[in-house]
Amino acid sequence: MAAVATPVARPQVRQTTCFIGGEWVPAVSGKMFETIHPATEEVICEVAEGDKADIARAVAAASEAFHNGPWATMDARDRGRLMYKLADLIEAEADELAALETWDNGKPISDSRAADIPLVIDCLRYYAGWADKIEGSTIPIRGDFLCYTRREPVGVVGQIIPWNFPALMAAWKWGPALAAGCTIVMKPAEQTPLTCLRMARLAQKAGIPDGVINVVPGYGPTAGAALVEHPDVNKIAFTGEGTTAKIIQRSALETMKRVTFELGGKSPNVIFADADLDAAVEGAHFALYFNQGQCCCAGSRLFVEDDVHDEVVERIAQRNRQFPVGDPFDPATKQGPQVDQAQFEKIMEYVDYGKQDGAQCVSGGNRIGDQGYFIEPTLFTGVTDEMRIAREEIFGPVLSVLKFSEVDELIERANNTNFGLAAAVWTRDIAKAHRFAAKVRAGTIWVNCYDVFDAAAPFGGFKESGLGRELGEAGLAAYTESKTVTVSLG
Ligand code: NAI
Ligand code: MG
């Protein structure tokens, strides 16, 4: 890895404490934890380490704001207006937020600028537009009655997010919650608390009332678990690992909290021999290596029809050898470091499993340098369905290629997983594409494209990849309760 100058300036870190009831406050315990830059392992700053006591304060603030504040009962269109204002303020600081994201997470600045922050803004604007369009219905029941439904905010919501798209995950969760009139306690991932805290500052500046958005940085088993247990929290929205979701589900059951989960995957990406191979190779590369492979919907099982298998493998390997991995602040960089030591080690273990299980490593497989968590873009061929690298989520730049020769067998193999988040197919045959879309059990199917996200299009998993949907109208519905009102007209 060439040592390059850092052309994009690192932003100032301003907010490092909890944000509760509109105030910036240290943790009750006084504890702090470090957040690091994964490319250099240097400490960026210390951040307040919230735990149960801070969660209790934040929930009290959110509860007060929900029950007694203006938020849930103000004119819906005005709620939308404040959300548009927040989106505008984020847009005005987009470059600084993108740099902060790159600093905290290690993702390439070109991605933070072109993808993460623009998608944050778009998501908030999309849901701002929903605020005054949340309607009930009138229902023709028997008798002399007027019966109608109201869609009301679910209440105080706890939102627990991961580190792979820190600002974007905050926006996906704030957008529908705010539009519906909920109030929020968010726990960002311990690896990446900084952009969420900055967004909270901007929310206050936009005029969103104090207590509507509260942010408590900290760890999962302390701050996260306390949020899930708290009796005054009405819903938990979580994105992260399946095993964590199961812990949350069990705990949330005690108070019958509503839950939505967006979890992992082992998404099949299928290239048929009749595909536009230039597009398919580029798409398959992007599907896995984007964001250092740290995507819940990564196309991590690449099924290639036997006739074009060798060509596709060679072309992806070739791309890997030329892929610019390095300083994420260099605008030419396409792949930065993994987020932390734990993720780095987990991925390197899977590289070993791949080799032990008999797959061929045709490119990559090694650490790059001895500082920062850089891993070569790695490609395995000769992968079979039962190998660990074909079954388990690696969450890193490791692509497994599986060969197939027949479409029915392919669909069965694609579905042979406990996950069901996404799938994609590359073909010029539209009948084949639609048959695939109908038969593969996953929440999102991409045809001749990958990772096409839009705030208006629902996203979420079948099977163990999740519960409920985010984005679109479905994502909004998950933040409302339906109330039936029956009025005697007699
Ligand atoms: P994780 O599920 O442990 O962490 C996600 C969030 O949950 C963080 O904010 C964390 O503090 C919180 N959390 C952890 N334990 C908790 C608990 N007991 N109660 C409440 N909140 C808790 O995921 P982690 O450890 O960061 O990554 C492990 C693996 O999970 C990754 O290697 C990857 O395979 C998968 N993952 C999937 C993501 C997705 O987008 N679907 C995102 C992040 C990780
Ligand atoms: Mg964990």
Side-chain angles (χ1 to χ4, degrees):
M1 187 179 41
V4 285
T6 297
V8 174
R10 294 165 182 215
Q12 225 187 323
V13 178
R14 302 206 190 96
Q15 286 76 34
T16 58
T17 61
C18 305
F19 183 62
I20 297 175
E23 286 179 20
W24 295 95
V25 291
V28 172
S29 69
K31 280 204 237 169
M32 309 281 279
F33 68 102
E34 292 176 344
T35 187
I36 59 150
H37 179 43
T40 57
E41 301 171 48
E42 73 194 285
V43 175
I44 299 171
C45 63
E46 292 198 322
V47 177
E49 184 189 327
D51 61 23
K52 193 170 180 172
D54 309 280
I55 290 291
R57 291 171 64 185
V59 173
S63 200
E64 172 65 22
F66 182 73
H67 294 287
N68 303 320
W71 186 245
T73 53
M74 73 196 289
D75 285 348
R77 200 161 306 150
D78 291 336
R79 220 166 43 231
R81 198 174 45 80
L82 293 174
M83 294 176 68
Y84 282 120
K85 186 80 202 291
L86 170 59
D88 291 347
L89 292 178
I90 291 173
E91 193 167 47
E93 282 194 18
D95 278 352
E96 197 177 344
L97 261 168
L100 194 61
E101 195 74 311
T102 287
W103 203 5
D104 212 10
N105 168 282
K107 63 176 66 201
I109 188 73
S110 56
D111 287 344
S112 311
R113 283 182 168 173
D116 296 72
I117 305 305
L119 287 169
V120 164
I121 297 161
D122 198 51
C123 179
L124 291 171
R125 287 190 178 139
Y126 169 77
Y127 277 112
W130 264 113
D132 62 352
K133 298 170 192 70
I134 304 174
E135 300 172 345
S137 52
T138 56
I139 302 169
I141 65 170
R142 283 188 195 281
D144 199 9
F145 298 101
L146 164 65
C147 179
Y148 63 95
T149 58
R150 292 164 49 86
R151 280 173 68 196
E152 298 187 356
V154 72
V156 175
V157 299
Q159 303 183 323
I160 300 173
I161 56 170
W163 43 261
N164 53 343
F165 294 91
L168 185 57
M169 290 302 100
W172 280 26
K173 295 211 168 12
W174 290 5
L178 294 175
C182 296
T183 62
I184 295 167
V185 177
M186 171 162 276
K187 195 207 78 67
E190 55 272 26
Q191 295 88 346
T192 54
L194 299 179
T195 45
C196 174
L197 290 168
R198 181 70 59 93
M199 284 164 62
R201 181 180 71 95
L202 296 178
Q204 188 174 44
K205 203 170 153 194
I208 291 176
D210 291 346
V212 171
I213 296 176
N214 306 275
V215 180
V216 180
Y219 291 95
T222 50
L227 188 54
V228 178
E229 281 160 21
H230 202 296
D232 296 340
V233 174
N234 302 106
K235 169 192 162 74
I236 294 287
F238 169 80
T239 298
E241 190 176 11
T243 50
T244 314
K246 289 178 188 178
I247 295 170
I248 291 174
Q249 173 84 297
R250 280 186 207 105
S251 166
L253 192 61
E254 287 301 314
T255 44
M256 208 51 80
K257 286 183 178 63
R258 287 82 183 100
V259 291
T260 44
F261 292 135
E262 205 266 276
L263 312 172
K266 196 74 194 176
S267 298
N269 185 17
V270 177
I271 300 180
F272 282 102
D274 65 7
D276 170 347
L277 277 198
D278 291 345
V281 165
E282 192 182 327
H285 195 276
F286 176 66
L288 189 282
Y289 298 105
F290 173 61
N291 207 40
Q292 297 66 246
Q294 300 168 151
C295 293
C296 49
C297 54
S300 52
R301 283 188 295 152
L302 181 62
F303 288 95
V304 185
E305 194 165 1
D306 45 14
D307 290 352
V308 292
H309 175 274
D310 294 354
E311 183 184 348
V312 166
V313 165
E314 181 42 42
R315 288 174 67 174
I316 292 176
Q318 188 63 29
R319 268 183 104 89
N320 282 355
R321 289 182 206 110
Q322 293 160 356
F323 206 49
V325 185
D327 179 0
F329 279 102
D330 180 342
T333 292
K334 292 273 187 207
Q335 183 183 315
Q338 307 311 126
V339 79
D340 66 9
Q341 177 86 27
Q343 291 298 314
F344 171 84
E345 283 170 6
K346 172 183 164 182
I347 295 159
M348 293 311 288
E349 248 173 60
Y350 275 102
V351 171
D352 285 343
Y353 293 152
K355 290 175 181 166
Q356 283 164 28
D357 291 348
Q360 290 89 54
C361 185
V362 292
S363 77
N366 303 300
R367 181 177 192 171
I368 303 177
D370 54 10
Q371 188 195 43
Y373 310 115
F374 293 95
I375 297 177
E376 289 174 342
T378 299
L379 180 63
F380 278 103
T381 58
V383 179
T384 54
D385 296 351
E386 65 294 340
M387 288 182 187
R388 274 168 289 192
I389 58 168
R391 304 200 67 81
E392 295 166 21
E393 183 173 55
I394 302 174
F395 231 62
V398 181
L399 178 58
S400 299
V401 180
L402 303 97
K403 207 188 265 194
F404 77 95
S405 54
E406 205 267 315
V407 65
D408 288 330
E409 164 226 293
L410 176 268
I411 286 172
E412 197 182 308
R413 291 171 67 193
N415 281 331
N416 183 17
T417 168
N418 292 333
F419 294 117
L421 193 57
V425 60
W426 301 82
T427 178
R428 287 191 169 101
D429 178 338
I430 57 164
K432 215 191 269 175
H434 286 293
R435 189 144 76 96
F436 179 91
K439 289 205 161 176
V440 172
R441 294 183 51 76
T444 290
I445 309 282
W446 285 296
V447 177
N448 295 330
C449 59
Y450 210 97
D451 276 349
V452 176
F453 278 93
D454 192 285
F459 180 76
F462 279 38
K463 299 192 265 183
E464 293 193 23
S465 286
L467 195 61
R469 293 291 177 270
E470 293 194 288
L471 304 181
E473 189 175 1
L476 180 72
Y479 285 89
T480 66
E481 291 277 9
S482 173
K483 178 183 280 177
T484 303
V485 181
T486 305
V487 184
S488 169
L489 300 179

